[in-house]
Every structure is written in C-alpha cells, then in structure tokens.
Amino acid sequence: MPLFFLSPHDNLARRETLGGGEVDDKRTGGRTGTGGRSGGPEEPEGLRLVHLLRAVSVEFGLRQAEFAARHGMHHTDVRALVCLLDAARAGEPATAGLLGARLGLNSAGTTAVIDRLERLGHVTRIRDDRDRRRVLLRVTPEAIHLGQDFFGPVIGGLLDVLDSFGPAERDAVRRFLSAAHAVLGTEPGAEAGAQAESGAEPDTEPEPVTVRAPVRGPGHP
C-alpha cells in the first residue's frame, strides 16, 4: 500500500514504514532503503526531495491524529475541519456537497461526519444569506481556538523557517509545493486514460514501484 494512503491514526506503522521500508524502482538503479532518513547517499537528489515531502506529510498526519484523539474525534473529522477552513479562506460556499467531494465520501458518510462535528460543537449549520434554501457549514470559534492552541507552535515554527529564506527561495518552495499538490490531486490513471482516448502512445513504459513494509517485532501492530 502506498505510504500516502496509510491510515494517519496508525502512528507506529507509519513511522516504521517510513523509516525502514525498501523501494524497488528502476529509476533509482535498484533497491533503495530509507534507513530511517528521507533518502540516502545512493539516491538521486529529486527522489530525496520526494521522500522529504512524504516525511512531512506523515508528520502532519500524525499531528492531526493526535489532535483528533485528544478531542474525541475521528481523523476524518479533522480532515473535514481543515477542508471547511480552507473553503472559508478561499471564499467558497462550504456546503455538504463540497465537503463530501473533498473528503471522497458519499451523502450518508458526509452527513454522519457533519452530525458528529455538530454534536461536538465544532461545526454549525447556517442558512446562506444569498440563497435561503442552501445550508452552509461553518467552523465554530471554539473549534478554531482549539486548533490554534494545538497547531499554533508548529505553524509558528514553519513561519520562522520561511522568514530565513530569501524571496527566490520562497518562490522555489511555493512552485514545488504547488506542483506537488497538483500531481497528488490527479486521479490515478487519469493520464493513461487521456492517452488511450487520444490514441497516443505513452512516452515511456510505466515503471513499477514496490514498497515493502519492514518486519515488525512482537507487540507492534
């Protein structure tokens, strides 16, 4: 199973797989062990950066899982709150339909998440001022305060790091993260489907990547 899709509440499994897994990839010239770090001396620079991005994504997932456990939530609830806050920042109407699409849930699953967050006092349903027939979702000030208390030090630390970068360096970081976000947001197989529809031959033969999880000792999940 790809590391990006491991369950974020399985902290030990995620850290072990990140630190001790091996990757078979023709692009790296054979088997590559992560050895507890993101990348190794035998890896190309680009792949080391990808592994660093993966490590950051894992740590973010672990922090979210810890926040969820501390406040009696499921990790999907935290993802829902993040989606709603992102929609508010972007000026998008935060409807149940938007939330379900962002989370990849059906109508029943989305309703269950919203109901749970509403019971916990983290989300309220309000009528859209411009269309009274439409119900919008809003994260409560109390939930925002909980998030700021927990994630504030991490965000502050990241901002301190960015302050040490020059404009050109920040622009490079922005371009890489924006491109990575676009790549990860592409539906699996979408590129191959587009090529098949157009009748075009792929530029290169797909290269299989196999991820082997490490053997866990007694007592490990």
Side-chain angles (χ1 to χ4, degrees):
M1 177 180 293
L3 292 173
F4 282 111
F5 298 101
L6 290 173
S7 174
H9 63 269
D10 191 358
N11 297 5
L12 181 59
R14 289 177 72 101
R15 279 204 169 100
E16 283 188 341
T17 305
L18 178 68
E22 290 183 339
V23 177
D24 280 339
D25 190 342
K26 294 178 183 177
R27 289 166 294 186
T28 65
R31 179 175 298 175
T32 300
T34 58
R37 297 173 300 167
S38 295
E42 72 278 12
E43 292 179 328
E45 176 65 22
L47 192 55
R48 289 203 295 272
L49 290 175
V50 171
H51 286 170
L52 280 171
L53 177 62
R54 181 181 62 184
V56 170
S57 121
V58 168
E59 290 302 326
F60 264 121
L62 296 177
R63 295 297 180 99
Q64 289 180 352
E66 183 181 347
F67 177 78
R70 183 174 297 188
H71 297 289
M73 291 186 284
H74 191 269
H75 63 86
T76 303
D77 300 339
V78 181
R79 290 176 55 213
L81 292 174
V82 171
C83 287
L84 294 176
L85 290 171
D86 285 345
R89 277 191 292 269
E92 297 177 293
T95 62
L98 178 142
L99 182 62
R102 298 281 168 85
L103 295 177
L105 297 176
N106 60 23
S107 178
T110 304
T111 299
V113 171
I114 295 171
D115 288 346
R116 189 162 57 239
L117 289 172
E118 193 172 38
R119 285 195 302 271
L120 291 169
H122 299 325
V123 164
T124 58
R125 290 177 168 99
I126 61 172
R127 291 285 175 183
D128 189 345
D129 291 336
R130 292 172 292 185
D131 184 354
R132 301 297 295 176
R133 296 169 299 177
R134 183 164 65 171
V135 176
L136 301 178
L137 305 171
R138 179 175 295 170
V139 180
T140 63
E142 292 78 12
I144 293 174
H145 182 70
L146 287 177
Q148 288 173 339
D149 281 349
F150 186 87
F151 294 105
V154 174
I155 294 173
L158 293 174
L159 291 175
D160 287 343
V161 172
L162 285 173
D163 284 343
S164 70
F165 288 7
E169 292 174 308
R170 288 196 295 271
D171 183 63
V173 172
R174 184 184 302 107
R175 287 189 294 111
F176 173 67
L177 291 179
S178 297
H181 186 230
V183 170
L184 291 171
T186 303
E187 286 292 331
E191 183 178 349
Q195 289 173 337
E197 186 175 341
S198 66
E201 293 293 330
D203 293 334
T204 58
E205 182 179 352
E207 297 171 339
V209 177
T210 303
V211 178
R212 294 188 177 89
V215 178
R216 299 186 178 90
H220 287 182

